[in-house]
Amino acid sequence: MSDNENAMKNSSDQKRKLLSLAWMAIAVASRLFPHPPNMSPALGVTLFAGRELGWKTGLAASLSMLALSDILLASIQGHSAFGWWSLFTYSGLIAVMALGRVGAKSFSAPRAIGLTLVSSFGFWTWTNLGTWLTSGMYTLDAAGLGACYAMALPFLGYALVGDLSFMLVIFLSFDFARQQLFTRAPLSA
């Protein structure tokens, strides 16, 4: 590859990375608008970051954007932004990011849907374990764990619908925008 081709590839990679970050910021900002419980772009954003950005950049960008939106939501809604439950939330998002990285090499629509469903159910399972352990709302025995998951079942439906919807919107709109911006033939003078 010539120096000129290398420079063009680096420029294209930088533009794609900037577009990816902008897409993530828009999606994360949508958390600030009213929405049904557990219908959040968080999983879509972290899967997307796993596909589009390297591990370090994707992890730093997605976690910092989500943490910032958590702080803003907490100040708007009058609750604490972080607590012991945050360990489960953010470690769950890191696991989703890892799935996005694994799936990035051969990404397809069926694979994206499968990764989203696995991520959604895994995240729900993990974070509700955190709720049971840290919230004080349930007894720390089998009955309390069962009650926690039973109470969380309605939220799983919202999460599945929201995660699939956000994933589709984020991925498809980004792929369309990327195609329009980076593969269009230049206009002749």
Side-chain angles (χ1 to χ4, degrees):
M1 191 180 289
S2 72
D3 287 343
N4 190 30
E5 289 172 327
N6 240 357
M8 287 176 56
K9 183 182 179 333
N10 287 341
S11 174
S12 178
D13 288 347
Q14 287 299 95
K15 288 178 185 175
R16 182 179 174 142
K17 215 175 247 191
L18 287 172
L19 183 63
S20 298
L21 292 171
W23 236 249
M24 290 171 63
I26 292 166
V28 170
S30 73
R31 293 182 74 203
L32 302 177
F33 297 106
H35 58 275
N38 285 34
M39 280 195 165
S40 162
L43 284 154
V45 164
T46 51
L47 274 174
F48 177 79
R51 183 186 89 165
E52 290 300 321
L53 302 169
W55 177 254
K56 288 180 185 177
T57 304
L59 194 60
S62 58
L63 293 182
S64 61
M65 286 182 196
L66 291 166
L68 177 61
S69 65
D70 281 344
I71 292 166
L72 290 172
L73 282 170
S75 68
I76 291 168
Q77 297 170 350
H79 58 76
S80 178
F82 305 105
W84 287 109
W85 70 88
S86 301
L87 295 172
F88 289 87
T89 301
Y90 285 90
S91 63
L93 291 172
I94 291 168
V96 170
M97 168 84 181
L99 279 175
R101 289 296 305 149
V102 168
K105 296 205 180 352
S106 58
F107 216 78
S108 65
R111 179 169 263 202
I113 292 168
L115 287 172
T116 302
L117 291 173
V118 167
S119 295
S120 190
F121 186 74
F123 186 79
W124 176 86
T125 302
W126 180 245
T127 54
N128 281 295
L129 177 66
T131 298
W132 173 66
L133 287 171
T134 67
S135 71
M137 294 169 47
Y138 304 98
T139 58
L140 295 178
D141 55 18
L145 181 61
C148 178
Y149 281 110
M151 295 300 289
L153 271 175
F155 298 102
L156 177 59
Y158 285 125
L160 289 168
V161 169
D163 293 341
L164 283 169
S165 299
F166 275 109
M167 181 276 300
L168 288 169
V169 168
I170 293 167
F171 281 69
L172 293 175
S173 64
F174 176 81
D175 288 343
F176 177 78
R178 183 186 62 206
Q179 182 181 24
Q180 295 301 307
L181 293 171
F182 299 133
T183 60
R184 297 177 92 188
L187 296 174
S188 55

